[in-house]
Amino acid sequence: MQRYEIAIIGSGPAGYVGAIKAAREGFPTSVIEKGDFGGVCLNKGCIPTKTLVASAKQLRNTRRAADFGIDLKGPVTAIFQKLNDRKESVVDIEKKGLIKLVENSGAEVIKGQASFVNKNVLKVSGAGGEKTIHAQSIIVATGSKPKNLPFLPFDGEKVLSSDELLSLDSLPESMIIIGGGYIGCEFASIFSALGTKITIIEALPRLLMNVDEDIVAVLNREFKKEGIDILTNSQIVGTKVADKVTVTLADGTDISADICLVSVGRRPSTDGLSAENTGLSILPDGAIKVNEQMMTNIPGVFAVGDVIGNPMLAHVASAECKVAVGNALGNHFLMDYTVIPSGIFTYPEIGSVGLTEEQARTAGRDVKTGTVLLRSLGISHASGEIVGMAKLVADAVSDMIIGIHIIGERATDLIHEVAVAMYQGMTASALGYVIHTHPTFSELVSEAARDANGGAIFSRRLYA
Ligand SMILES: Cc1cc2nc3c(=O)[nH]c(=O)nc-3n(C[C@H](O)[C@H](O)[C@H](O)COP(=O)(O)OP(=O)(O)OC[C@H]3O[C@@H](n4cnc5c(N)ncnc54)[C@H](O)[C@@H]3O)c2cc1C
């Protein structure tokens, strides 16, 4: 039996980051993967989607080249196969680099499906047969899977999960997207740029329910301008899958399209893990229960990433696994969720960190906001990216920043300045004093900070 200090099940952004950290500290470490190295993030999530987002962006910009004084001859078209080839090649390059990084750290990559024999022993079944390994500590980082709709199950042809949508070999003329969360919205944005007619069906009152209302209003407007149909407050009462997928709504409307993406969330994945052999505590939604040290109810067994539930984000998964590794090696680190930035890579893109105005008020906080429109900055016109805004939320009494929400060019990067400010407990006025380079998109952040105290030159209020 092979023996390790730490064995990690799953090689997603939780598992590979944890393995590198543990091995670099000199501890015998293995990471076990039953599928493609790199997990959902590298193979079916962050990286392939953002590669397609980059193609869609390039396409949108090329189509309006004339606005920038560039004369392009002939029609601008996307070649779906080439887009997909690029996506595969980006994933491949990244995967080779990651495997090298893990191996160079000294961690061992074991291929196969891991299942618990007991709290220290795993059975690994792979192409080469079966083996057992022993580890002082085991970290479960087995990720998540797309949720199915019982009345419209995935069939891999017409009714697709996000995994399957990424493997399409031809561009559909039309697509229904059930679920207006970030995955549904990102795919809507990508496929709409490529020429697919998109209809989003959402049961809740708006898209992206966790995102600031004003920010979502901008996205809604831009989606509609692009020809994306958005049906909110829409209950599905019937479905038919034939040549087309047809969805009937409660008001009697029928919507038909070539294919349907079901993106109604993801569920933690403990399939095949034989968690019952250790007595691991699993919550009703399937997530493994952990404390803030990432410890499960079984001493020496930790769980991290999507398998412990929300927020299901790659960078959160990595941060959790670093905490778990530290604690497996005898420390007492706590996972800190107070500052978690997140990006939604639609066009225009959205970046958020901290509470929205609505969330803060619902939590009983007295808040003030600073709002600035992107079009008030010189850089937005120079760059041809005038759509967007920033809304900074600060405590009305202490002036401490409690969130920022940005839509527009570079939003997913801009939020990190505020993430750092929040981590350091900065006030809006302190952030507003910091001189920002002109002309840059970063002025949106400093102006929003100043606007929270009425001192913005380009305040949205003054344009009204
Ligand atoms: C379409 C899409 C786009 C996304 N975009 C973003 C984004 O832009 N930014 C972001 O932060 N997040 C994004 N996410 C979410 C992100 O991919 C996940 O939060 C992240 O991958 C979770 O990492 P993880 O390590 O917990 O699990 P995963 O990445 O799911 O990895 C788990 C791994 O464990 C393996 N495994 C499972 N069971 C076993 C077993 N018994 N034995 C061996 N191996 C096993 C699986 O094969 C898998 O490779 C996206 C997700 C999707 C679906």
Side-chain angles (χ1 to χ4, degrees):
M1 192 185 311
Q2 282 163 285
R3 291 181 172 269
Y4 301 91
E5 185 68 25
I6 296 185
I8 304 178
I9 311 174
S11 69
Y16 72 73
V17 166
I20 291 170
K21 180 172 162 60
R24 280 192 187 155
E25 293 197 21
F27 293 92
T29 304
S30 61
V31 56
I32 308 153
E33 175 55 60
K34 69 175 178 184
D36 289 324
F37 192 89
V40 169
C41 171
L42 178 57
N43 298 287
K44 301 283 178 198
C46 323
I47 302 301
T49 53
K50 269 79 254 186
T51 308
L52 292 178
V53 165
S55 289
K57 184 171 188 182
Q58 200 73 24
L59 185 61
R60 283 190 176 97
N61 282 338
T62 312
R63 280 184 182 138
R64 58 190 187 119
D67 295 351
F68 293 82
I70 299 163
D71 186 16
L72 286 179
K73 302 271 178 270
V76 176
T77 46
I79 304 161
F80 195 59
Q81 188 51 50
K82 289 199 174 164
L83 251 70
N84 278 332
D85 292 347
R86 176 172 184 271
K87 178 192 74 191
E88 296 305 323
S89 123
V90 167
V91 170
D92 197 49
I93 292 168
E94 182 75 10
K95 191 175 309 184
K96 284 185 181 135
L98 274 183
I99 292 175
K100 186 149 240 127
L101 205 61
V102 172
E103 288 176 346
N104 287 351
S105 72
E108 192 180 334
V109 178
I110 303 175
K111 287 188 177 163
Q113 158 132 1
S115 54
F116 279 100
V117 175
N118 62 44
K119 77 179 194 62
N120 294 108
V121 177
L122 294 172
K123 183 172 81 180
V124 182
S125 322
E130 225 174 72
K131 61 177 167 185
T132 47
I133 66 169
H134 180 283
Q136 275 311 108
S137 300
I138 293 176
I139 302 177
V140 182
T142 48
S144 63
K145 292 231 152 84
K147 272 190 197 158
N148 208 6
L149 277 180
F151 56 86
L152 191 60
F154 300 128
D155 64 10
E157 267 187 43
K158 293 276 167 192
V159 183
L160 307 179
S161 67
S162 61
D163 291 3
E164 293 155 343
L165 191 65
L166 284 167
S167 309
L168 279 186
D169 47 23
S170 63
L171 187 67
E173 271 181 28
S174 54
M175 171 161 61
I176 294 169
I177 298 182
I178 301 181
Y182 85 91
I183 291 178
C185 287
E186 286 187 3
F187 278 118
S189 200
I190 294 166
F191 278 84
S192 169
L194 299 181
T196 300
K197 170 70 195 166
I198 304 287
T199 306
I200 305 178
I201 301 176
E202 169 58 60
L204 296 172
R206 65 169 197 260
L207 300 178
L208 303 169
M209 274 307 284
N210 291 328
V211 177
D212 182 275
E213 232 179 316
D214 294 344
I215 300 285
V216 178
V218 177
L219 185 72
N220 247 31
R221 191 188 66 211
E222 295 306 310
F223 267 12
K224 283 181 184 162
K225 270 198 225 160
E226 242 196 38
I228 297 175
D229 289 335
I230 303 166
L231 305 174
T232 48
N233 281 319
S234 295
Q235 299 296 330
I236 297 172
V237 294
T239 58
K240 187 173 154 211
V241 182
D243 263 5
K244 299 254 180 200
V245 182
T246 304
V247 170
T248 307
L249 303 180
D251 66 2
T253 318
D254 278 343
I255 295 141
S256 294
D258 291 339
I259 59 168
C260 175
L261 165 69
V262 176
S263 55
V264 292
R266 299 182 60 85
R267 63 166 178 86
S269 170
T270 50
D271 306 349
L273 201 59
S274 302
E276 63 283 0
N277 290 346
T278 57
L280 265 187
S281 212
I282 310 241
L283 296 167
D285 64 356
I288 298 180
K289 190 175 171 197
V290 291
N291 65 13
E292 52 197 346
Q293 297 187 49
M294 302 293 113
M295 291 169 173
T296 68
N297 60 318
I298 307 298
V301 180
F302 299 77
V304 294
D306 281 11
V307 77
I308 64 168
N310 285 325
M312 290 189 179
L313 293 169
H315 41 289
V316 175
S318 302
E320 288 169 343
C321 204
K322 286 190 224 162
V323 168
V325 165
N327 292 335
L329 300 178
N331 300 291
H332 298 282
F333 297 137
L334 301 181
M335 180 64 201
D336 180 0
Y337 291 99
T338 46
V339 182
I340 304 279
S342 66
I344 301 176
F345 298 81
T346 42
Y347 182 79
E349 65 180 46
I350 297 173
S352 311
V353 59
L355 298 180
T356 64
E357 182 182 0
E358 193 182 354
Q359 288 163 347
R361 292 197 195 281
T362 307
R365 305 273 301 255
D366 188 10
V367 295
K368 56 189 173 183
T369 60
T371 312
V372 176
L373 297 179
L374 191 49
R375 59 167 50 86
S376 60
L377 302 181
I379 190 64
S380 71
H381 293 276
S383 312
E385 293 291 350
I386 59 167
V387 171
M389 63 175 281
K391 186 194 221 181
L392 183 130
V393 186
D395 188 280
V397 180
S398 68
D399 196 33
M400 297 271 275
I401 303 168
I402 53 182
I404 192 162
H405 310 277
I406 307 180
I407 183 164
E409 182 72 0
R410 307 201 196 168
T412 55
D413 290 315
L414 290 177
I415 48 165
H416 292 91
E417 175 182 358
V418 180
V420 173
M422 284 171 65
Y423 197 75
Q424 293 298 324
M426 263 175 107
T427 58
S429 47
L431 181 57
Y433 283 129
V434 180
I435 298 173
H436 286 61
T437 306
H438 176 74
T440 64
F441 287 92
S442 73
E443 291 172 278
L444 195 64
V445 171
S446 59
E447 278 293 279
R450 281 180 212 129
D451 193 52
N453 288 309
I457 300 296
F458 302 109
S459 169
R460 183 185 194 177
R461 287 182 271 270
L462 301 177
Y463 281 93

